[in-house]
Amino acid sequence: MKILVCISCVPDTTSKINFIENDTTFDTNGIQFVINPNDEFGLTRAMWIKEMDNSTVDTINVGLENTEPILKKTLAIGADKAIRINEKPTDGFRVAKLISDYISNNNYDLIIAGRESIDYNGTMVPGIISEILNINFITNCVGLEIDGNKITAKREIEGGTEILSCNLPAIIGGQKGLVEESDLKIPNMRGIMQARQKPLEIIETENDEIGTEIIKFYKPKEKEEIKMIDSENLDELVEIFNKNAKVI
Amino acid sequence: MSVLTYIESKDYKAKKNSFEVISYARALADQLSTDLVILCFNIKNINELSNYGPDKILNINNDELSQFNVQKYAEAISKASSKLSVSHIIIGGSTDCKYLAPSLSVKTNSTYISNVVSLPSSLTPFTLRRSTFSNKAFSDVIIKNEKIIIGICNNSFGLIEKKSSPEILNLEINIPESTINQESIELSSGSISIADADIVVSAGRGLKGPENWGMIEELAKILGAATACSKPVSDMGWRPHSEHVGQTGKPVATNLYIAIGISGAIQHLAGVSSSKVKVVINSDPDAPFFKAADYGIIGDAFDIVPKLNEKLKSFKAVNN
Ligand SMILES: Cc1cc2nc3c(=O)[nH]c(=O)nc-3n(C[C@H](O)[C@H](O)[C@H](O)COP(=O)(O)OP(=O)(O)OC[C@H]3O[C@@H](n4cnc5c(N)ncnc54)[C@H](O)[C@@H]3O)c2cc1C
């Protein structure tokens, strides 16, 4: 089987988010970039499939040269080939379109993305790919089994889970639970050495109109001073529930 | 060109967050000087929808739509919107809406913008503000397409009542077979889901062990709240994964969020910060959560929560 894992390169979750150039640009100064956590679960799940049936696993990212360390990390974890589509990702539809073009030229059976990227939180790349390519799509996946041409996925829904099944080719949106966090694969020395020999394909893009443009960023309003309540005076909290929050 | 809002239903009734979605859509239709159509599936009593000002309602009664299916739902909404010459589709921020919106955007040649927190600040160019970087920031986005799908964040807009006498539409819509099958569904019984809740009571590692959640569940029951937890609590199996909230768990945007024995790590705060009122109970006066909350109590949860439960119970006994 041929598997493609979509990798978004995002600021580490502890990052302080700041903006520069009149609040038009994300300040990457001092920011450590990581594999988007939702994608990382998918990458490990893909490696398990590969260990079972010798599938090939490629990883793909739309990004500029600065994302290559992340792609090399996926190779060190065990991916066979990494693909970087050389364009700054600013629009979810555009990113999905570029990845779809690559997929239609290279025929993958299973595509694994994350349910959302934790930077722009667009929640749209896998869904748009599925519609462009007319393939099945299951997101919020917290479990995935493959049996021949059929996949069975556990999807987290509001208030529970559902089990969905469909045929390949398909694309899924993963999240924590697809594998447990303690199972996440990290590169070892041998992997890092092998990664040096593995291909990192760079694809140039053609200019095209991009449908959205971010013109300004804002930081949330500074929080007003917290009001402390004495632990001996819980009646005050009851009153706040009643008067301010209006919940009782 | 009109505005269409798709309203989710559950047990043949509009979901609670629908009224906020309709309020937003009404305000947008006014801004664009156009009509608002509500689209919903299999709702028994559509009267309550007219409290928020729709001009038309299309309620499709079809067994094929009795269970959420991304392909069937996206197709039905897409067909309805093309028959009604819709320019703007407004949807909520639920997991199901986020699942279907990307497909719908391709089917309708629209641009989808998720996590929107306000009405357009300008119509030309069409500019929307959305939440980004996991609630750590907002951005203003210009959309060049004339056809737009707006997914709004829960609790970001509020309710605006406006009674109307909508025209009831009737449209035949063919629903195709789906290639994705639901094999089974498992819903946790009784408890309120985090997405539906007005109040969330959340507890962290400060509770020391799963056996201590009785008082948390009791507090949630008194308040009619959903229960949630921090990530390590679900990682250790003290609570189910479905209760994990934060940047890598479920987002929370409720009226009241009560955090008990949670330190307030940046990843936790990212997921819960859009809740309106945040109350923190923590024994450590330096816990970072105190910097991000509206009300705080320094003290031992094992002492405070049972007392609070008693006080709330007597308050309710006297006042209800
Ligand atoms: C990639 C990544 C993603 C993450 N995503 C998330 C996420 O989505 N959600 C999330 O929650 N975390 C997330 N985390 C973890 C996060 O960094 C914190 O480790 C976690 O939120 C801490 O959980 P906690 O507050 O329950 O535990 P702790 O940090 O251990 O805090 C426990 C608190 O309880 C207090 N306490 C102890 N005893 C009592 C008592 N008797 N009464 C009152 N208070 C008491 C302590 O003072 C302390 O403040 C993520 C981490 C990483 C690296």
Side-chain angles (χ1 to χ4, degrees), chain A residues 75-126:
Chain A
L75 295 173
I77 287 171
D80 298 287
K81 179 172 93 171
I83 301 113
R84 181 170 70 81
I85 301 184
N86 189 24
E87 187 172 300
K88 186 171 180 216
T90 62
D91 174 82
F93 180 83
R94 172 75 173 166
V95 168
K97 177 74 176 61
L98 292 170
I99 296 176
S100 301
D101 289 345
Y102 187 85
I103 295 168
S104 28
N105 293 328
N106 291 276
N107 287 320
Y108 288 92
D109 304 291
L110 175 65
I111 300 125
I112 303 181
R115 79 159 185 216
E116 71 177 320
S117 72
I118 64 162
D119 52 358
Y120 292 100
N121 311 94
T123 51
M124 64 177 95
V125 169

Side-chain angles (χ1 to χ4, degrees), chain B residues 205 208 230-231 244-248 261 263 267-268 282 300-301:
Chain B
R205 202 145 58 179
K208 316 271 190 294
S230 67
K231 178 167 170 292
H244 162 198
V245 295
Q247 188 165 12
T248 52
S263 58
Q267 299 95 348
H268 186 88
N282 197 306
D300 185 349

Side-chain angles (χ1 to χ4, degrees), chain B residues 134-152:
Chain B
S134 304
N135 291 320
K136 291 179 199 169
F138 298 96
S139 62
D140 279 352
V141 184
I142 288 181
I143 300 103
K144 296 168 189 162
N145 198 337
E146 308 246 291
K147 297 182 75 183
I148 304 173
I149 300 176
I150 300 175
I152 68 166

Side-chain angles (χ1 to χ4, degrees), chain A residues 131-194:
Chain A
E131 195 65 35
I132 292 178
L133 299 175
N134 198 16
I135 59 176
N136 292 315
F137 171 46
I138 300 175
T139 194
N140 295 96
C141 279
V142 293
L144 174 70
E145 296 307 324
I146 297 154
D147 182 9
N149 192 37
K150 181 181 163 188
I151 65 169
T152 306
K154 191 176 195 180
R155 172 174 175 252
E156 192 172 80
I157 56 175
E158 279 162 21
T161 53
E162 63 176 353
I163 306 289
L164 299 177
S165 68
C166 65
N167 284 339
L168 295 172
I171 178 164
I172 68 151
Q175 62 184 55
K176 189 181 94 169
L178 194 50
V179 305
E180 289 306 323
E181 197 162 85
S182 48
D183 290 326
L184 283 178
K185 285 195 181 288
I186 46 172
N188 56 26
M189 215 42 211
R190 190 158 151 262
I192 294 168
M193 299 300 284
Q194 284 173 341

Side-chain angles (χ1 to χ4, degrees), chain B residues 148-166:
Chain B
I148 304 173
I149 300 176
I150 300 175
I152 68 166
C153 271
N154 274 354
N155 262 327
S156 61
F157 189 70
L159 298 179
I160 303 175
E161 287 203 34
K162 194 175 183 184
K163 191 103 190 85
S164 63
S165 317

